[in-house]
Amino acid sequence: MRAYRLLTEVDTAAFCHKVTEALDKGWELYGSPAYAHDPVTGQMRCAQAVVKDVEGAYAPDVKLGDL
């Protein structure tokens, strides 16, 4: 199966670490990153989609962060 995740975080080093950790675990970047203002918190937020090919079939209870 091909797994998909959308990583999001406030625009700090934590976002870069989150993406780097996913890449280290075998996830691949999918598309371009996004950057937007959150009007509720007043902060800028980042998003990056990642994908990974894994064994097995999809199930709704799969923990994508554990793949």
Side-chain angles (χ1 to χ4, degrees):
M1 110 172 145
R2 188 152 211 207
Y4 170 91
R5 292 175 66 196
L6 181 64
L7 306 175
T8 63
E9 184 70 52
V10 174
D11 183 23
T12 66
F15 175 73
C16 294
H17 286 282
K18 185 183 278 190
V19 174
T20 300
E21 180 182 21
L23 294 173
D24 188 55
K25 291 182 176 181
W27 291 85
E28 297 178 21
L29 299 177
Y30 184 80
S32 299
Y35 191 61
H37 181 260
D38 181 342
V40 174
T41 65
Q43 297 176 309
M44 295 301 290
R45 295 194 60 87
C46 301
Q48 174 64 58
V50 292
V51 293
K52 183 178 185 180
D53 291 322
V54 296
E55 295 290 322
Y58 171 75
D61 61 341
V62 67
K63 303 240 186 230
L64 297 172
D66 293 340
L67 296 177

